[in-house]
């Protein structure tokens, strides 16, 4: 039946009238408003046809409508000497003039002033007009463009009768007469289908078609099983040999390549592996020289690099009149669009194909015509087509009942040794005991567990999936774990087994026997080995770690089918040769520890070229992974840069999953840095972390990614990590007086977007918690800001954020001149001016500080006048060493001042009794009065010598000090005498000279 | 290297490395009795230690070391530096064993290190002091003992007392200084093993630690529990 057959392809149901190829011109000119597009006027047969229409038009008092745009085009191109269709345009002009002369032409002007869009473009114009007037009058359009005709038909014909739409027709010129488009459209589609129905499509396209392939076909998986890839086997085993024969190349748009790369990192393991296989296949093509990868810049311009749809459309439009094209895609909507754009007037073939579940190629036309609506869930004759949703890549794989069959219960392996009393259930006694415990803890929700779980009642079984000892309930599922508030009683039963070594043969519960091939790493609990199984590693516990609780926890973890990409969730238990539990298997992780990102030098070493954008993306990736775990009520607990491996910013692995907190099993380890203030110093084995605890750790981790490696509570004047956290002084906010650490950290903070600053302040200063969704959202905003240049892309900015135009150029007074130039805010500059200081850059200030720290020591006051003082003050190392050598105590300034006043009070009365009241300090300044009078200068070398002699020698001894005191009491009189009688100077000089000579010899000064 | 240059390097080390530091002060006996094979072994062991710390990524960015020797007089051979810049010190054996003074100097530079960390804004763990001797102190240690006990009991310090050889006096001296840990006797050929253990446990302290143990306890616990397994399979007392 052509009707139903063509329904979807044409987009409407053709009526009997429509199948007539030639219209009745009389009727047409009588009942229809006839629009004429540009091309028919330029057609060689235009003269014949329109001239033949003239009499009918005149008699029916109808007119041809030609758009102003068409006239524009024709007029503009008539004068163009280079126009190859010069003749045709001139012809058209004369035709138009002739019709105008007969009064059968209307040039439709657009009333609203200047033309919208292109001066010549008529396509949208007609579409719009036809929609606008479709209820008012019968219309027909004469056009040579298939797509335009098709679309106009579709727009109006769809349920035309019910909607009261008048008749709309389209015609084209061919063979000196008007032809209806509909039969032609029908014929086209059947043609293609007929020709290719039983034909060897493969043989045809491999010869002389441009074969363009889409991601979803390359990575096509089996309808009912994600793990069997069809795309892989078709392209590798079917198409590749065919192309090898013909030498034709497979065209893969650059964006498809990108999309595959993206899928490799997808959370969905099936998708990821399929994409990987596809890439491998493409590599095969490349090896044989049969691959052409489109270049990104030649394709579609735009941000979303992995969205490939427009590329196909563009390639199709571009090449369809040039060569035979075949596009292979599984995407229904893309196929529809591609088919809609097929230009039927071109003589080249244009095929849109898909890969069937039987590894064959098939035409989309036939499939679309069979499936009445968008989602063709009904299986057709061939039955099992599947089209993986394009956007399915980012979503979690749906829970599939088949999966449960694939992952049978862990106990299916060699039977583990079990405590007695668990013979009926596969669960050790401890497990049962724990359930009882939980029942008590969940007492607030009565009824939930009281209901007896029956196997027939699937809902109940589901609810109690983990509590019910029946085997049914142990089936793997994706149901979240329960939130529990009480720690399971520790089951410290030691299990019988001893840690194996490389080369040992162990048994996986599902995989069977395998060998430990290589030692990877060792931790506090056990060791990790590579195995003879692909992409799986084995963790074996040390003998002293093999407790009953450990096995129970793993049993519980294995009760869920958790397939989150980047989480090395335990996959199955492992037993030794005697069937004793010894460890578990998990997916192999790769990458470097996050630690390598959180250190400037290591980052430069292992992740060169990382920018703030990359860091932000990494943070988003990690947060998303953690969020997926949280959705299942799994808490990592020991969030820690050692437990996260980074491959690149979009691919990370969370390892050490057996320490995660699930239900009543706590995460027994942790580090101070990631422990919330309330939990500091608590025993990690004795409490269950709350969501708040976990969010604190997550926010800390986020902080440490954005401030690579710096902990949020590090501050100047800080102390040990745990103390800093307990004190809750977050140094980046202003409401406390702690200062951020030296280095680039404060600059990073100042560049951070406001929203993230607020998040951090809320968590670290006010003790609130921000949900991961919000953090991720704010990170995404930040990412956009960085990409648009609003936020710096530097990981370590070297100056604070400043508003443009609000800065002053200054030079650091300490830096070498070539580095000194920098910019500071006007406010800061004014502050410096006010204080009359020169500018010093941050690193110079820090350097000064470090030098000062190095050259000073802190001592507590050892004053004897106030022994309780003990005030801590800093003193230069030099001075301290000197005082220590001399056996003097270090006194703080206030104590020293106090002592000085006491001394002075003691001294004053004595001095006044000698009638000479000079203070000690004055004395120190004053020289020898006699010598000054003798040499008539205070700075004569002899005077200076005597002064030195007094300070260095006389003052050191008790006798000397007595002499000095007495000397100062009497010498002014002597000096006065010498001033008065200048002749005394010469003998005095002689005496002093000889005394000085003697002293110099004696003391070698 | 000029003082300015050294200070600039130190500043960069302090500000650019965000990791929390474990300051480890090594007080090494270089008295006359260490002459010969012992001082040689000590030098070699020191090299192993640096190597072992460098090999572990986390330890290499967290451990900072200082070296004080006491042989005749106390000498601060090396103030705190990151392991990258730590070199094997020149060790010359001569003179007596002024352990009391050495401990004073060590505690002072540890204090100083903490002060620098705090002022600059670097997180740190409480410091470790490795005291390695082969004989009894030749000076007064009563004050040093008092100070050490106070710090260790307040969990502000972890002290690892090591006796090289079978000297009774050295063992007794260290026993008085260390309130909790009994001194470890090692033969000179085992010094390298001890240093390897030290590097490893520095790493363990940094990685996830069992919650009930404060970091200082952890160091001590490791010392007592694991050192016998790790260094000497034979058990305590082996020479």
């Amino acid at each position: 039946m052509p009707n139903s057959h063509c329904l979807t392809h044409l987009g409407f149901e053709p009526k009997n009238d429509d199948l007539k190829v030639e219209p009745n011109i009389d009727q047409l000119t009588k009942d229809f408003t006839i629009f004429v597009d540009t091309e028919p006027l330029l057609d060689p047969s235009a003269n014949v046809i329109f001239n033949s229409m003239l009499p009918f038009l005149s008699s029916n008092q109808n007119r041809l409508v030609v758009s102003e745009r068409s006239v524009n085009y024709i007029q503009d191109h008539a004068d163009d000497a280079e126009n190859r269709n010069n003749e045709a345009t001139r012809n058209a002009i004369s035709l138009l003039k002739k019709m105008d002369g007969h009064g059968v032409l209307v040039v439709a002007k657009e009333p609203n002033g200047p033309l919208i869009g292109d001066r010549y473009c008529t396509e949208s114009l007609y579409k719009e007009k036809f929609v606008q007037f479709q209820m008012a009058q019968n219309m027909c359009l004469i056009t040579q463009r298939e797509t335009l005709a098709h679309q106009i038909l579709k727009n109006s014909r769809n349920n035309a009768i019910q909607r009261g739409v008048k008749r709309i027709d389209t015609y084209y010129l061919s063979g000196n007469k008007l032809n209806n488009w509909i039969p032609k459209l029908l014929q086209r589609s059947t043609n293609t289908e007929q020709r290719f129905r039983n034909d060897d499509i493969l043989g045809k396209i491999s010869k002389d078609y441009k074969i363009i392939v889409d991601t979803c076909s390359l990575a096509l998986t089996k309808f009912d099983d994600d793990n069997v890839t069809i795309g892989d086997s078709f392209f590798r085993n079917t198409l590749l040999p065919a192309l090898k024969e013909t030498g034709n190349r497979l065209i893969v748009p650059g964006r498809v390549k990108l999309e595959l790369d993206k899928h490799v990192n997808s959370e969905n393991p099936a998708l990821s592996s399929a994409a990987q296989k596809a890439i491998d296949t493409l590599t095969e093509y490349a090896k044989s020289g049969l691959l052409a990868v489109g270049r990104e810049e030649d394709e579609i311009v735009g941000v979303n690099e992995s969205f490939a749809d427009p590329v196909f459309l563009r390639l199709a439009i571009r090449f369809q009149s040039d060569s035979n094209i075949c596009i292979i895609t599984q995407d229904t909507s893309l196929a529809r669009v591609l088919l809609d754009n097929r230009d039927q007037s071109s003589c080249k073939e244009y095929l849109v194909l898909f890969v069937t579940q039987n590894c064959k190629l098939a035409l989309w036309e036939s499939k679309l015509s069979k499936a009445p609506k968008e989602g063709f869930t009904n299986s057709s004759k061939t039955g099992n087509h599947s089209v993986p949703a394009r956007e399915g890549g980012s979503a979690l794989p749906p829970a599939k009942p088949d999966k449960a069959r694939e992952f049978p219960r862990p106990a299916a392996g060699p039977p583990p040794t079990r405590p007695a009393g668990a013979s009926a259930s596969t669960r050790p006694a401890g497990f049962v005991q724990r359930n009882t415990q939980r029942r008590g803890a969940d007492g607030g929700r009565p009824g939930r567990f009281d209901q007896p779980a029956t196997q027939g009642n699937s809902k109940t079984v589901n609810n109690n999936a983990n509590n019910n000892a029946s085997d049914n309930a142990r089936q793997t599922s994706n149901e979240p774990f329960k939130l529990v508030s009480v720690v399971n009683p520790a089951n410290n039963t030691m299990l019988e087994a001893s840690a194996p070594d490389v080369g040992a043969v162990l048994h996986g519960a599902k995989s069977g026997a395998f060998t430990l091939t290589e030692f990877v790493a060792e931790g506090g609990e056990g060791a990790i080995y590579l195995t003879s199984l692909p992409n799986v590693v084995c963790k074996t516990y040390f003998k002293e770690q093999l407790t009953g609780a450990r096995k129970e926890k793993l049993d519980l973890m294995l009760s869920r089918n958790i397939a989150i990409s980047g989480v090395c969730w335990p996959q199955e238990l492992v037993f030794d040769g005697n069937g004793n539990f010894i460890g578990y298997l998990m997916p192999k992780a790769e990458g470097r520890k996050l630690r390598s990102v959180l250190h400037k030098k290591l980052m430069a070493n292992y992740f060169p070229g990382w920018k703030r954008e990359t860091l932000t993306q990494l943070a988003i990736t990690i947060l998303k992974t953690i969020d997926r775990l949280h959705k299942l009520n799994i808490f990592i607990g020991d969030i820690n840069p050692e437990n996260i491996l980074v491959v690149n910013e979009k691919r990370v692995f969370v390892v050490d999953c057996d320490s995660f907190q699930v239900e009543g099993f706590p995460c027994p380890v942790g580090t101070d840095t990631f422990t919330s203030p309330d939990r500091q110093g608590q025993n990690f084995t004795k409490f269950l972390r709350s969501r708040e605890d976990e969010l604190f750790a997550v926010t800390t981790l986020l902080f440490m990614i954005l401030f690579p490696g710096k902990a949020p509570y590090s501050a100047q004047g800080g102390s040990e990590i745990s103390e800093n956290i307990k004190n809750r002084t977050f140094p980046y906010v202003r409401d406390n007086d702690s200062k951020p650490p030296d280095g680039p950290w404060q600059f990073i903070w100042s560049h951070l977007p406001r929203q993230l600053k607020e998040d951090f302040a809320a968590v670290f200063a006010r003790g609130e918690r921000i949900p991961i969704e919000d953090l991720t959202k704010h990170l995404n905003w930040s990412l956009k800001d960085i990409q648009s240049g609003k936020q710096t892309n530097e990981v370590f900015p070297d100056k604070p954020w400043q508003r443009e135009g609000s800065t002053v150029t200054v030079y650091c007074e300490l830096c070498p001149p070539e580095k000194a130039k920098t910019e500071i805010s006007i406010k800061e500059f004014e502050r410096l001016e006010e204080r009359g200081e020169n500018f010093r850059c941050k690193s110079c200030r820090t350097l000064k500080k470090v030098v000062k720290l190095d050259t000073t020591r802190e001592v507590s006051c050892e004053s004897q006048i106030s022994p309780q003082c003990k005030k801590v003050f800093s003193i230069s190392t030099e001075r301290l060493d000197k005082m220590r050598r001399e056996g003097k105590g270090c006194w703080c300034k206030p104590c020293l001042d106090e002592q000085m006043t006491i001394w002075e009070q003691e001294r004053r009365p004595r001095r006044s009794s000698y009638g000479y009241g000079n203070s000690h300090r004055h004395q120190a300044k004053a020289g020898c009065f006699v010598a000054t009078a003798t040499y008539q200068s205070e700075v004569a070398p002899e005077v200076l010598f005597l002064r030195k002699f007094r300070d260095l020698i006389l003052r050191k001894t008790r006798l000397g000090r007595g002499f000095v005191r007495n000397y100062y009491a009497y010498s002014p009189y002597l000096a006065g005498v010498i001033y008065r009688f200048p002749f005394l100077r010469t003998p005095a000089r002689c005496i002093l000279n000889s005394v000085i000579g003697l002293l110099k010899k004696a003391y070698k000064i | 290297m000029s003082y300015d240059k050294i200070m600039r390097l130190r500043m960069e080390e302090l500000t650019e490395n965000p990791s929390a530091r474990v300051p480890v002060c090594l007080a090494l006996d270089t008295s006359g009795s260490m002459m010969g094979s012992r001082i040689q072994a000590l030098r070699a062991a020191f090299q192993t230690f640096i190597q072992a710390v460098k090999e572990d990524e986390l330890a290499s960015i967290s451990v900072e070391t200082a070296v004080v020797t006491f042989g005749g007089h106390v000498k601060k051979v090396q103030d705190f530096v990151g392991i990258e810049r730590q070199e094997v010190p020149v060790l010359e054996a001569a003179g007596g064993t002024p352990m009391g003074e050495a401990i004073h100097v060590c505690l002072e530079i540890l204090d100083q290190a903490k002060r620098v960390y705090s002022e600059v804004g670097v997180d740190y763990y409480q410091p470790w002091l490795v005291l390695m001797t082969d004989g009894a102190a030749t000076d007064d240690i009563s004050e040093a003992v008092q100070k050490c006990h106070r710090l260790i009991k307040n969990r502000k310090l972890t002290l690892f007392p090591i006796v090289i050889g079978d000297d009774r006096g050295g063992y007794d001296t260290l026993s008085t200084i260390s309130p909790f840990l009994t001194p470890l006797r090692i033969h000179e050929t085992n010094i390298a093993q001890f240093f390897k253990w030290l590097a490893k446990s520095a790493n363990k302290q940094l990685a996830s630690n069992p919650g009930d143990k404060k970091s200082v306890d952890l160091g001590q616990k490791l010392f007592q529990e694991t050192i016998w397994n790790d260094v000497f399979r034979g058990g305590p007392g082996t020479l």
Side-chain angles (χ1 to χ4, degrees), chain A residues 356-376:
Chain A
T356 66
Q357 295 286 310
N358 317 327
C359 282
K360 295 235 170 72
L361 282 177
L363 285 167
W364 264 111
E365 281 107 321
S366 50
K367 180 152 174 176
L368 288 176
S369 59
K370 274 166 199 150
K373 288 280 169 201
E374 288 282 346
F376 38 105

Side-chain angles (χ1 to χ4, degrees), chain A residues 592 638 670 714 717 742 853-854, chain B residues 3 57 112 118 120 123 208-209:
Chain A
R592 293 203 61 87
D638 186 16
S714 285
D742 282 319
L853 284 169
D854 191 64
Chain B
Y3 179 75
E57 200 169 81
Q112 174 67 10
S118 163
V120 176
D123 287 337
S208 314
N209 47 353

Side-chain angles (χ1 to χ4, degrees), chain A residues 592 595-596 598-600 602 606 638 640 642 668-672 681-684 708-711 714-722 724 726 741-745 843-844 846-847 849-851 853-858 874 884, chain B residues 3-4 7-11 14-21 57-58 60-62 76 79 84 108-109 111-112 114-126 155-156 200 203-204 206-212 214-216:
Chain A
R592 293 203 61 87
R595 166 80 51 203
S596 314
L598 305 188
H599 189 268
K600 192 174 177 181
L602 296 178
Y606 298 116
D638 186 16
N640 178 341
E642 301 294 304
V669 284
T671 48
D672 286 348
Q682 286 190 32
N683 185 338
F684 292 120
K710 204 69 183 170
S714 285
Q716 288 184 31
S719 170
E720 262 191 292
I721 300 178
S722 58
N724 290 348
K726 272 192 251 174
D742 282 319
W745 319 110
S843 83
C844 285
T846 313
L847 183 62
K849 185 163 143 189
V850 173
V851 170
L853 284 169
D854 191 64
T855 50
T856 58
R857 292 286 175 275
E858 262 181 358
S874 67
R884 287 275 149 84
Chain B
Y3 179 75
D4 254 21
M7 280 298 121
R8 193 164 274 278
L9 283 176
R10 181 71 182 142
M11 182 209 51
L14 285 169
T15 53
E16 288 187 359
N17 178 358
S19 342
R21 308 301 206 291
E57 200 169 81
L58 178 54
S60 74
I61 57 173
S62 310
K76 189 169 82 182
D79 206 340
E84 286 297 318
E108 203 171 279
I109 63 172
D111 240 26
Q112 174 67 10
K114 285 207 251 179
R115 181 168 154 241
V116 171
Y117 294 146
S118 163
E119 291 282 319
V120 176
V122 173
D123 287 337
Y124 59 88
Y125 294 89
Q126 289 301 348
R155 293 173 160 168
K156 297 281 183 210
K200 197 175 152 193
N203 178 36
K204 273 191 186 162
L206 298 166
S208 314
N209 47 353
D212 57 335
K214 296 286 279 182
S215 54
V216 176

Side-chain angles (χ1 to χ4, degrees), chain A residues 939-986:
Chain A
V939 288
E942 290 81 2
V943 182
L944 292 178
F945 170 79
L946 286 171
R947 203 184 285 170
K948 206 166 156 192
F949 173 72
R950 174 201 67 198
D951 289 341
L952 291 183
I953 295 161
L954 289 180
R955 284 233 170 100
K956 292 274 164 71
T957 61
R958 203 185 157 86
L959 203 69
R961 282 196 291 271
F963 172 79
V964 170
R965 226 172 14 244
N966 286 314
Y967 174 76
Y968 275 112
Y970 300 108
S971 68
Y973 301 105
L974 206 58
V977 174
I978 293 173
Y979 270 118
R980 221 174 301 150
F981 308 103
F983 65 90
L984 285 178
R985 257 184 246 152
T986 322

Side-chain angles (χ1 to χ4, degrees), chain A residues 146 162 249 251 285 404 465 490 496 545 569 646 684 691 815 831 848 943 957 973:
Chain A
E146 184 207 7
Q162 283 95 320
R249 294 203 294 176
I251 299 170
Y285 277 87
E496 281 295 315
Q545 298 284 339
W569 193 255
V646 180
F684 292 120
R691 197 170 284 274
C815 280
R831 219 176 296 143
K848 281 264 161 203
V943 182
T957 61
Y973 301 105

